[in-house]
Amino acid sequence: MFTSQTQEMWKALFRRKSTEDILKGRASHEILHKTLTVRDLTSFGIAAIIGAGIFSTIGTAASEGGPGVLFLFIFTAVACGLAAFCYAEFASMLPVAGSAYTYSYVAFGELIAWIIGWALIMEYAVGNITVAISWSDYFCGFLEGFGVHLPLWMQMDYFTAYNSFKEAEVLVQNGTDISLLDARMQEAYNAYLTAPNLFGFHLVLDIPALLIIVLISWLVYRGIKESRTASNIMVVIKIAVVILVILVGAFYVNPENWSPFAPNGIGGILRGVSAVFFAYIGFDAISTTAEECKDPQRDLPRSMLYSILICTTLYILIALVLTGMVNYTELAVGDPLAFVFSKLDMPWMSGIIALSAIVAMASVFLVFQLGQPRIWMSMSRDGLLPPVFKKIHPKYKTPAFSTIVAALLTAIPALFLNLTTVTDLCSIGTLFAFVLVCGGVLMIQGRKDLPPSKFKTPYINSKWIMPILLILCMYGLNKWYKNDFNSFLYNEPKVIGTGDLIAGIDSAQLNMLSNHVMYYHPKDYTGAGSDLRKYLDQIGQDESVALFKRLALPVELVYESAWDSFAQRIPNWIFVLVFLIMCVLSFLKNLSLIPVMGLLCCLYMMAQIPVHNWLGFGIWLLTGLVIYFGYSIRHSVLGNERRM
């Protein structure tokens, strides 16, 4: 039995705001400059979406999925489009800053709103760390084209340099020549060795990443008009370059490169889901500028859908051109657009692409850095963060203190963290927001206390569609992916990655393995650059297991433990459970199909992100809950009003 005190506590955690509360609260705060039109908002959306994805991660996705990666772009666009419908309905109903945080306050209540607000802080901060690091890589490469070489320790994060140094040290001690290591590891190794030493600490810092953060944050601090103008200019430049790449590249397409179209099947295509989804992150940031729009109820929904449609068209065309110009296996590089033109001996195009990539990533950073302070401002207005976060600059009419703190939260980690760590964290935070916004539209379905919205998500009854979809999925998995399906159901252990494999054996076993490969397979070993990890990657998992057996090495080292195997599948089990629940609810409650499918598509992409990133995300959310129960719940404006 719940006591009255427990019931009151429960009500406090899930107290919901009415639209009247939100609109009245907005009117009582300082007014921001209303300058944005649908063209400006669409420009912000394109600025946020076309960035590191099209200039960098598209190569990784294409190398895994081949030309068929365009289907992944279409799938991701559909998932984001479904989420965009839900965002658009909320944005039209609640034209205030705060994005998914504000929408969740109305749909779910205060605790969920805090969780999503805290997740959005991570999304925008981590997203900008990612963009700043990528921008730094392109900027340093651009300078080198003019003969300007920054010291290696000034253009790399500390952990990449440190980890590469330790890994290279082990390989060198086991007889590998340093010159045979891949170029990136050599650079990191030398960066750590040559870095200034401060009290025993090697001072490896990504200085260009810091500079772009300071520059863009200053621009955002100065005002929305300045940010809008800069964004519009940068969008024109990068769209012009993307169209130039498509038009010029089309003349060099060899249709033979499109065969096979999906060389690694559906699994290969889906392996790029994180990289491709990262290419779409950002359209939701448009909704944080609602209070600076001239007509937010009309323009916000239009701009979200316009920006996704335009960017998807460009992504598909770019994917076709890239995979048609060179074989997909050659695209696993950091700068695929510049790479394909350098292969055609067209350095002038590579130079244009490098310059436009710098502009493109700066525009992404601009939109994210606009969004983050406005989330904090909204949370502060509600009393969930200290009052200083809602302060508006008297002249520039921007959330000044929040902008400064957002810059610090981005700048400090960018000096030390690497790109791989932050990309997946950004994706998982964004997808979590999308899931809750889609769920929010389902929660408000049929509520009578909400005002009519100028934009309504089209209603399609999912009563029979979802159960039929479940049956079709089960049939398809059993027919075409039976082995993988059974492996998932029965928790069969997987072969671990070669990097973890090498790290798990002692030096004597490592020497035995290296000597055997050098003696019996010298040609293949040399072809792999005398790198044992690359050699094992080339021969594949089955041959690696057979090799361990021949040398009487512990075969169990090759496989994950039962717990590790299950842990890696937990996100997929969460998806399966939610899928089943949504099928039941769709049948019983006649739920709207678009938000249901948006929720499931986004949750599926979340499930493809490695479990250690879920753990990192969970730690971030737990930290947020400590702050909520330590400060926010006692200072909540809504809570204090209802206690009066």
Side-chain angles (χ1 to χ4, degrees):
M1 294 289 292
F2 286 114
T3 65
S4 59
Q5 188 175 6
T6 304
Q7 290 176 338
E8 286 300 314
M9 180 66 173
W10 187 259
K11 288 180 181 178
L13 292 177
F14 294 97
R15 53 197 170 210
R16 294 188 297 197
K17 272 195 169 190
S18 66
T19 53
E20 290 78 9
D21 290 333
I22 290 173
L23 298 176
K24 182 177 68 177
R26 181 187 66 173
S28 66
H29 294 291
E30 292 184 71
I31 302 298
L32 305 179
H33 283 312
K34 290 184 175 292
T35 62
L36 302 178
T37 64
V38 67
R39 185 188 65 183
D40 299 321
L41 292 167
T42 303
S43 178
F44 275 140
I46 296 171
I49 296 171
I50 296 182
I54 205 164
F55 287 98
S56 181
T57 57
I58 190 174
T60 304
S63 70
E64 294 278 5
V69 75
L70 70 87
F71 293 121
L72 185 54
F73 280 110
I74 294 171
F75 170 73
T76 308
V78 169
C80 290
L82 294 170
F85 271 110
C86 301
Y87 265 94
E89 179 168 343
F90 271 122
S92 182
M93 185 189 305
L94 302 168
V96 296
S99 186
Y101 159 75
T102 302
Y103 310 154
S104 297
Y105 220 142
V106 172
F108 298 107
E110 186 171 284
L111 179 62
I112 303 300
W114 167 266
I115 290 172
I116 194 61
W118 191 248
L120 285 172
I121 289 172
M122 188 194 74
E123 173 198 341
Y124 291 130
V126 173
N128 264 348
I129 293 168
T130 306
V131 175
I133 294 170
S134 295
W135 186 91
S136 173
D137 290 342
Y138 267 94
F139 181 70
C140 292
F142 182 71
L143 290 180
E144 287 177 4
F146 292 94
V148 179
H149 302 282
L150 294 179
L152 290 172
W153 60 268
M154 287 180 60
Q155 52 178 294
M156 188 175 297
D157 65 275
Y158 174 80
F159 288 108
T160 293
Y162 176 77
N163 291 333
S164 295
F165 176 79
K166 290 297 182 184
E167 187 175 350
E169 204 171 35
V170 171
L171 292 172
V172 169
Q173 287 174 358
N174 284 279
T176 302
D177 192 290
I178 192 69
S179 62
L180 297 176
L181 301 178
D182 63 69
R184 188 63 177 169
M185 183 179 286
Q186 286 187 50
E187 286 182 358
Y189 179 83
N190 291 325
Y192 191 81
L193 278 181
T194 58
N197 198 304
L198 186 64
F199 304 114
F201 179 82
H202 290 252
L203 205 64
V204 183
L205 302 170
D206 197 338
I207 300 300
L210 176 64
L211 293 178
I212 191 61
I213 292 170
V214 171
L215 177 62
I216 296 295
S217 298
W218 171 80
L219 184 62
V220 170
Y221 184 89
R222 285 294 304 271
I224 192 67
K225 287 183 180 179
E226 291 79 2
S227 301
R228 176 197 64 188
T229 302
S231 174
N232 289 341
I233 292 170
M234 288 189 281
V235 165
V236 169
I237 292 172
K238 65 183 179 181
I239 286 186
V241 171
V242 169
I243 292 174
L244 178 66
V245 168
I246 293 169
L247 293 177
V248 174
F251 288 99
Y252 296 91
V253 166
N254 178 4
E256 291 182 3
N257 287 325
W258 290 334
S259 181
F261 200 73
N264 298 313
I266 191 69
I269 292 173
L270 290 175
R271 276 199 291 273
V273 70
S274 181
V276 168
F277 177 72
F278 188 74
Y280 279 92
I281 287 177
F283 78 86
D284 58 313
I286 303 173
S287 60
T288 66
T289 64
E291 292 181 31
E292 290 147 299
C293 302
K294 290 181 178 179
D295 189 352
Q297 292 179 308
R298 183 196 68 183
D299 293 345
L300 280 171
R302 291 182 180 182
S303 60
M304 288 182 190
L305 297 173
Y306 290 166
S307 58
I308 289 177
L309 183 61
I310 292 169
C311 293
T312 299
T313 303
L314 294 175
Y315 278 155
I316 290 172
L317 292 173
I318 279 285
L320 281 172
V321 168
L322 283 182
T323 54
M325 292 174 71
V326 301
N327 189 278
Y328 74 94
T329 57
E330 300 181 60
L331 290 172
V333 294
D335 52 349
L337 270 64
F339 168 76
V340 293
F341 285 102
S342 66
K343 283 205 68 174
L344 296 173
D345 197 24
M346 298 173 67
W348 60 275
M349 275 294 291
S350 297
I352 291 173
I353 291 167
L355 179 60
S356 64
I358 293 170
V359 173
M361 292 181 193
S363 69
V364 175
F365 193 102
L366 173 63
V367 178
F368 273 40
Q369 204 68 350
L370 271 172
Q372 187 177 178
R374 284 153 181 79
I375 298 289
W376 294 21
M377 177 186 72
S378 297
M379 297 174 76
S380 179
R381 286 175 175 177
D382 294 330
L384 304 186
L385 286 177
V388 68
F389 284 94
K390 67 181 178 183
K391 281 198 166 187
I392 304 298
H393 195 284
K395 178 181 178 182
Y396 302 132
K397 298 299 180 183
T398 57
F401 181 79
S402 293
T403 301
I404 293 170
V405 175
L408 292 173
L409 189 66
T410 305
I412 295 172
L415 293 171
F416 301 101
L417 296 180
N418 61 53
L419 196 59
T420 305
T421 302
V422 293
T423 301
D424 283 343
L425 278 175
C426 181
S427 295
I428 199 171
T430 307
L431 286 165
F432 183 67
F434 288 4
V435 166
L436 285 186
V437 170
C438 292
V441 169
L442 295 172
M443 288 290 291
I444 65 173
Q445 183 177 314
R447 276 177 57 179
K448 306 297 184 184
D449 60 328
L450 299 174
S453 174
K454 288 187 178 181
F455 180 89
K456 199 75 174 173
T457 302
Y459 177 78
I460 302 171
N461 193 337
S462 64
K463 182 181 183 72
W464 296 107
I465 296 175
M466 288 305 299
I468 291 172
L469 181 62
L470 175 62
I471 293 169
L472 290 175
C473 287
M474 295 296 294
Y475 174 78
L477 287 171
N478 190 59
K479 183 173 178 61
W480 292 298
Y481 299 97
K482 189 170 184 177
N483 291 337
D484 292 338
F485 186 48
N486 288 337
S487 175
F488 174 76
L489 284 178
Y490 299 112
N491 195 40
E492 294 176 2
K494 294 181 180 179
V495 176
I496 66 173
T498 52
D500 294 330
L501 178 62
I502 292 173
I505 60 179
D506 60 37
S507 57
Q509 293 169 331
L510 184 63
N511 279 331
M512 182 193 300
L513 190 59
S514 299
N515 291 335
H516 176 87
V517 172
M518 281 190 290
Y519 185 80
Y520 289 101
H521 307 281
K523 186 176 179 180
D524 293 336
Y525 188 59
T526 305
S530 300
D531 186 324
L532 184 60
R533 183 170 58 180
K534 285 185 179 179
Y535 172 78
L536 293 177
D537 281 334
Q538 287 179 3
I539 66 174
Q541 295 178 347
D542 293 340
E543 283 296 323
S544 295
V545 173
L547 179 59
F548 266 60
K549 287 180 178 178
R550 282 200 300 273
L551 296 178
L553 293 172
V555 178
E556 60 270 16
L557 292 175
V558 179
Y559 295 99
E560 294 175 332
S561 67
W563 165 248
D564 286 341
S565 182
F566 176 73
Q568 294 298 328
R569 293 178 168 98
I570 288 175
N572 286 295
W573 277 114
I574 292 172
F575 169 75
V576 170
L577 180 62
V578 173
F579 193 172
L580 295 173
I581 291 172
M582 296 311 298
C583 286
V584 173
L585 291 177
S586 295
F587 186 80
L588 296 176
K589 302 287 187 181
N590 297 320
L591 298 180
S592 177
L593 182 65
I594 288 178
V596 168
M597 291 301 298
L599 185 154
L600 290 175
C601 287
C602 293
L603 186 60
Y604 175 78
M605 288 192 287
M606 271 184 84
Q608 306 314 302
I609 297 174
V611 72
H612 65 267
N613 289 294
W614 282 65
L615 181 60
F617 182 60
I619 292 171
W620 175 262
L621 292 185
L622 286 175
T623 304
L625 289 176
V626 170
I627 296 172
Y628 176 77
F629 287 106
Y631 175 89
S632 306
I633 195 170
R634 294 183 290 107
H635 293 83
S636 166
V637 171
L638 185 62
N640 290 332
E641 285 177 353
R642 295 186 178 178
R643 281 193 289 266
M644 291 175 64

